[in-house]
Amino acid sequence: MAPTLGKRKRVTREGLEQSSHLHSPSSASSNSDSEDVQDIFRRAFEAKFKPLDVEPQESKITEPEEEEEEEEEELEEDSDWSGISSEAEDEIEVIEHSTTRRLGDRLSKAEMRAFMSSKPPTSTIQTPSKPTFSKLAKDDDPTEASHLKNDLALQRLLRDSHLLSSLNSPSASGNSTPTLSLTGSSRHKSIDLHLQSLGAKSSIFTQKSMPMQDRKRILSKATQREERRRAEARENGIVLEKEKRVKKYVKERAKGVGGPGVGRFKGGTLTLSKRDIADITGGGRSGKGKGKGKGTYGKR
Amino acid sequence: MTDQTQPLLRFTGHRHLAIRLVLSTLTGRPIRISNIRSNSPTHQGLQPHEVSFIRLLDSITNGSKIEFGMSGSTLVYRPGLITGSAEGLGASNGVLNHEISKECRTRGITYFLIPLCLLAPFSKSPFNILFTGPGCITSATSSGDPSIDTLRTAILPLYKNFGVDRNLEIRILRRSCAPSRGKLAGGEVHFVFPHQIRLPRTLHLLNAGWVKRIRGVAYAIGVSGSNNARAIDAARGVLNKFVPDTYIFSDVSSAPLLPSPSDSNDPSGKTKGAVGFGLSLVAESSTGCFYSSDVASPPDGGTTPEDVGKQGAYQLLETISQGGCVEKCAATTVLVLMGMGSEDVGRLALGRDVVGSEEVVQLGRDLRAFGGAGWGFRDGRDEGEVVVSVVGRGVGNVGRKAA
């Protein structure tokens, strides 16, 4: 970098001495030699930097900003400025920031609230970092959003397809045009299915309270229907899904607070049943089930 | 709880009255202060604000005994237990009301609050006090009390160093300025100090760091908000060169309305309280030390906001130039808390001018009189700094002993 800079400096020093004369309107009728030289310099400059306008550039730039205009005028005044030389290093550049109003004059509202609240301000006020991912998501907003929307619609359609097919079948209703949206009771059914897939314990259609006999009849009818279905399938050689066996609820042994962890404490003695002993020793369970069951039964 | 046979500690003079009363309450030693302005022909004895402070002390403690002499120039104080705003001991709905009468308008609210903050961590139950009345001044006063903003932003954060920082609050419900003759103040401040401790942590504060940010509050009460803007602009003009991270917030409020005292035929009549403006600046260092300055317009007016802003900025620069980890108006607080800490040596770097100030020197003498160990001094890292070593008393909160 340094050698190129030095080269540039050398070029401008010589060039500007002459170009300053050339720029002045008095020397408009200049000889061809100097023009050639200027051309060479300009080409060299343009190879390094942006192509530059020759005549009207200064007036264009200086118009909007007054401060720069003043600087430009100063530059024009000492027209024999010859690049960056060793003499220029002696001068001290003074930059004054005297204006108190700046762009970031106002603090964020959160910071103001933190300082002006009734509490003593904490020394570390965290400026809330702006979530960058939201901006990224916003960039490809239209496509991403539409994809998501379509995906949801497709899932709903798949879930409701059997409801729709029964609705659109000619036997169910008289309308000829098949619809893709559910209405009425079928919509409620769809919602129920969705709820169950999301983890609802029971259907919203199950009645909470009803006469016991009715409930029993419904349950027995349901098991009957299920059995018939399984029997038919077996006869026809169709493989069905595995039967779900409802686990019987086994009540845990109720232990009192401060009572023994194992056995029964009665009359000042800890009584261990055979099963407790088997649990502790952990061996020879097989073949003893019958006797054990009898024993416990007898004791009670 | 105080031992009646305990000998009285004897002090003379009206100076440092509040801090002596605080030390007496914290250590449980009864004191006798005599010759309180005994030579003054016009204002002999205790001043109204001092009486108000003693009454406040009485209401937050249980079992204190206060005896005045006939002329008011002698005071005997036997401290009780610091109970705070306990129900049944003057507090209603958990809030203790303290009305500051109009005779106390020479001193700001911080005259009461700074000593109160010292007592609050050692209380049995939380402090919850509402200050009202025609003598309640939230701004800085000419008698040297800092404004309430300075207390909240520069002194209260120091309690964090001692392990006291939970939910401390100073709610400025209504701002008020120092009133001129015939006017009233009428501010309202709600002071909540719910964090009580057994013993404050031992403090080692030796590195002051460098100032990284300056914050402040400009307040205008009953006058145009442009006064704030002008004061802020002037202050920033001085400070921006040193710390670019300078922000001063503006708070504009109307003058408080007070029930008219003079109009006896119109009981519902109201008068307007004092008006004015002021500036509170706080510089925070990279190690969590604070420097503050406070300027308010004088009660009679006659200053421009630019002067106030500029003076505040220069005052802040002066405070910073004094150096040390704690400025002058907070030094008492920090040193007392260190003295009440565990039986351990805490160290604190202070500027020479701060150590040499009258309050700090007298505090050191008073602490010794109350039975504390003397302070140790050695030269600090910087030229103008002195490291003060303070041994804690190790007694701490008597009310929390059993808890």
Side-chain angles (χ1 to χ4, degrees):
Chain A
M1 196 66 209
T4 54
L5 265 177
K7 196 177 172 187
R8 193 184 120 215
K9 195 157 72 174
R10 185 155 29 88
V11 165
T12 45
R13 192 189 298 155
E14 288 172 304
L16 275 168
E17 269 178 82
Q18 291 176 334
S19 63
S20 60
H21 293 292
L22 291 169
H23 274 290
S24 58
S26 62
S27 64
S29 60
S30 57
N31 51 358
S32 61
D33 278 16
S34 58
E35 244 178 44
D36 285 347
V37 170
Q38 198 196 359
D39 267 353
I40 291 163
F41 284 140
R42 203 174 62 213
R43 253 178 274 132
F45 182 80
E46 284 176 358
K48 273 264 181 288
F49 302 101
K50 247 167 52 178
L52 74 167
D53 289 8
V54 185
E55 301 283 300
Q57 185 211 25
E58 282 184 0
S59 61
K60 250 189 203 171
I61 292 178
T62 51
E63 267 173 7
E65 289 183 36
E66 292 175 7
E67 290 176 0
E68 280 193 17
E69 194 179 18
E70 285 171 12
E71 287 170 22
E72 297 271 327
E73 279 170 7
E74 279 174 14
L75 276 178
E76 280 170 10
E77 272 171 21
D78 48 4
S79 56
D80 53 354
W81 181 74
S82 56
I84 303 160
S85 61
S86 56
E87 290 165 35
E89 283 172 20
D90 298 336
E91 289 175 21
I92 299 164
E93 201 177 346
V94 178
I95 301 166
E96 209 172 316
H97 298 281
S98 56
T99 51
T100 55
R101 294 262 156 207
R102 286 182 307 151
L103 202 69
D105 208 10
R106 300 230 151 187
L107 264 191
S108 68
K109 203 142 198 185
E111 210 157 332
M112 181 185 171
R113 231 175 280 134
F115 190 81
M116 295 295 281
S117 73
S118 57
K119 293 186 172 129
T122 49
S123 52
T124 51
I125 298 164
Q126 279 104 15
T127 46
S129 57
K130 281 172 190 169
T132 48
F133 55 87
S134 66
K135 205 180 180 186
L136 280 173
K138 258 180 197 168
D139 285 348
D140 44 3
D141 199 23
T143 52
E144 199 67 23
S146 69
H147 281 325
L148 207 65
K149 214 173 171 185
N150 288 340
D151 205 27
L152 279 172
L154 183 65
Q155 276 184 15
R156 201 183 320 121
L157 190 66
L158 286 171
R159 199 173 58 234
D160 300 341
S161 59
H162 66 287
L163 291 170
L164 284 166
S165 67
S166 67
L167 195 74
N168 291 329
S169 62
S171 61
S173 57
N175 64 342
S176 55
T177 49
T179 56
L180 282 178
S181 58
L182 291 163
T183 50
S185 63
S186 54
R187 191 172 64 86
H188 286 302
K189 270 183 204 162
S190 158
I191 288 169
D192 181 37
L193 283 171
H194 195 192
L195 282 175
Q196 277 178 333
S197 73
L198 287 174
K201 281 201 176 124
S202 61
S203 160
I204 49 173
F205 292 112
T206 47
Q207 201 174 332
K208 222 178 192 177
S209 54
M210 62 164 71
M212 192 199 240
Q213 293 305 321
D214 290 7
R215 173 92 68 197
K216 276 182 180 170
R217 221 169 291 138
I218 287 169
L219 283 175
S220 71
K221 183 79 181 171
T223 49
Q224 216 178 345
R225 207 179 287 132
E226 177 69 12
E227 269 169 22
R228 193 162 8 107
R229 189 174 74 99
R230 289 208 169 264
E232 276 173 10
R234 213 179 306 121
E235 280 165 16
N236 297 332
I238 299 164
V239 180
L240 278 183
E241 80 274 5
K242 247 188 186 172
E243 203 171 352
K244 257 188 212 164
R245 296 208 175 265
V246 181
K247 232 186 181 182
K248 264 194 182 171
Y249 177 62
V250 185
K251 204 178 178 186
E252 251 186 53
R253 186 182 159 221
K255 280 184 237 171
V257 176
V262 63
R264 285 187 310 140
F265 199 82
K266 199 177 177 185
T269 52
L270 184 69
T271 316
L272 295 180
S273 67
K274 276 181 185 167
R275 188 205 249 171
D276 292 335
I277 291 162
D279 273 348
I280 292 161
T281 54
R285 288 209 73 175
S286 60
K288 280 182 187 171
K290 202 174 154 192
K292 179 179 68 189
K294 218 188 204 174
T296 49
Y297 191 74
K299 261 179 204 165
R300 274 173 199 162
Chain B
M1 100 136 236
T2 44
D3 196 359
Q4 289 289 335
T5 58
Q6 223 173 354
L8 292 167
L9 283 175
R10 280 160 202 280
F11 294 101
T12 52
H14 68 277
R15 305 182 78 88
H16 320 288
L17 182 90
I19 195 71
R20 280 172 180 164
L21 289 171
V22 164
L23 287 176
S24 162
T25 316
L26 286 175
T27 56
R29 296 286 302 272
I31 55 171
R32 179 177 189 274
I33 302 171
S34 54
N35 291 336
I36 303 171
R37 294 191 190 87
S38 52
N39 292 329
S40 166
T42 50
H43 299 291
Q44 203 179 19
L46 290 164
Q47 290 291 296
H49 59 267
E50 289 161 351
V51 175
S52 185
F53 180 71
I54 291 167
R55 281 181 48 208
L56 178 64
L57 212 56
D58 184 36
S59 59
I60 57 160
T61 54
N62 189 16
S64 304
K65 286 202 186 77
I66 299 150
E67 292 156 32
F68 296 114
M70 281 297 272
S71 62
S73 60
T74 313
L75 166 73
V76 176
Y77 175 66
R78 294 177 197 279
L81 202 68
I82 311 168
T83 50
S85 310
E87 200 67 39
L89 291 169
S92 57
N93 291 331
V95 183
L96 199 91
N97 261 305
H98 186 73
E99 187 167 332
I100 304 170
S101 65
K102 69 175 177 183
E103 284 81 26
C104 309
R105 64 197 161 171
T106 47
R107 301 306 294 256
I109 183 80
T110 46
Y111 171 78
F112 302 92
L113 276 179
I114 291 176
L116 214 57
C117 287
L118 277 174
L119 294 175
F122 302 98
S123 165
K124 195 174 165 69
S125 53
F127 268 46
N128 196 343
I129 305 173
L130 183 68
F131 289 91
T132 52
C136 180
I137 304 164
T138 63
S139 78
T141 57
S142 50
S143 48
D145 297 314
S147 76
I148 194 141
D149 296 291
T150 304
L151 171 65
R152 182 175 63 81
T153 55
I155 299 179
L156 269 198
L158 293 172
Y159 280 79
K160 198 178 180 188
N161 295 327
F162 296 99
V164 187
D165 57 345
R166 212 187 315 122
N167 295 337
L168 313 186
E169 268 189 74
I170 292 182
R171 289 189 208 123
I172 306 164
L173 305 177
R174 196 173 299 148
R175 287 178 181 273
S176 56
C177 260
S180 54
R181 184 175 295 277
K183 281 265 190 182
L184 301 173
E188 252 182 74
V189 174
H190 194 178
F191 172 65
V192 185
F193 203 111
H195 194 170
Q196 275 70 37
I197 48 165
R198 265 279 297 118
L199 267 176
R201 237 184 261 153
T202 309
L203 182 74
H204 299 285
L205 210 55
L206 297 170
N207 184 12
W210 61 92
V211 173
K212 64 170 179 180
R213 72 160 75 104
I214 294 174
R215 294 282 179 273
V217 179
Y219 46 88
I221 301 147
V223 292
S224 160
S226 66
N227 288 311
N228 276 352
R230 286 162 66 187
I232 290 170
D233 208 57
R236 286 191 61 151
V238 176
L239 294 171
N240 253 23
K241 272 177 230 161
F242 303 103
V243 185
D245 188 7
T246 301
Y247 293 101
I248 302 162
F249 302 101
S250 161
D251 191 316
V252 184
S253 54
S254 56
L257 285 173
L258 287 143
S260 174
S262 54
D263 244 3
S264 55
N265 51 4
D266 186 15
S268 63
K270 304 258 174 147
T271 53
K272 226 179 186 186
V275 296
F277 53 88
L279 181 68
S280 148
L281 292 173
V282 177
E284 191 190 344
S285 82
S286 54
T287 52
C289 304
F290 293 91
Y291 307 96
S292 69
S293 78
D294 250 306
V295 185
S297 63
D300 301 319
T303 12
T304 59
E306 281 84 3
D307 287 348
V308 166
K310 208 161 251 181
Q311 200 190 328
Y314 287 141
Q315 203 176 309
L316 182 69
L317 293 178
E318 193 197 339
T319 314
I320 295 169
S321 75
Q322 285 175 353
C325 297
V326 177
E327 59 167 326
K328 203 183 275 178
C329 76
T332 316
T333 300
V334 174
L335 287 167
V336 169
L337 281 173
M338 285 171 84
M340 294 298 135
S342 59
E343 272 179 306
D344 203 356
V345 183
R347 291 167 301 162
L348 179 69
L350 289 174
R352 271 180 203 281
D353 289 340
V354 177
V355 175
S357 67
E358 190 196 336
E359 295 96 42
V360 174
V361 170
Q362 189 58 45
L363 178 69
R365 288 176 183 157
D366 285 353
L367 269 175
R368 275 199 87 156
F370 278 103
W375 292 345
F377 296 99
R378 64 181 166 80
D379 278 334
R381 215 178 327 179
D382 271 11
E383 191 84 343
E385 276 182 4
V386 177
V387 174
V388 184
S389 311
V390 183
V391 184
R393 235 174 109 254
V395 175
N397 194 337
V398 183
R400 291 249 149 186
K401 262 256 154 89

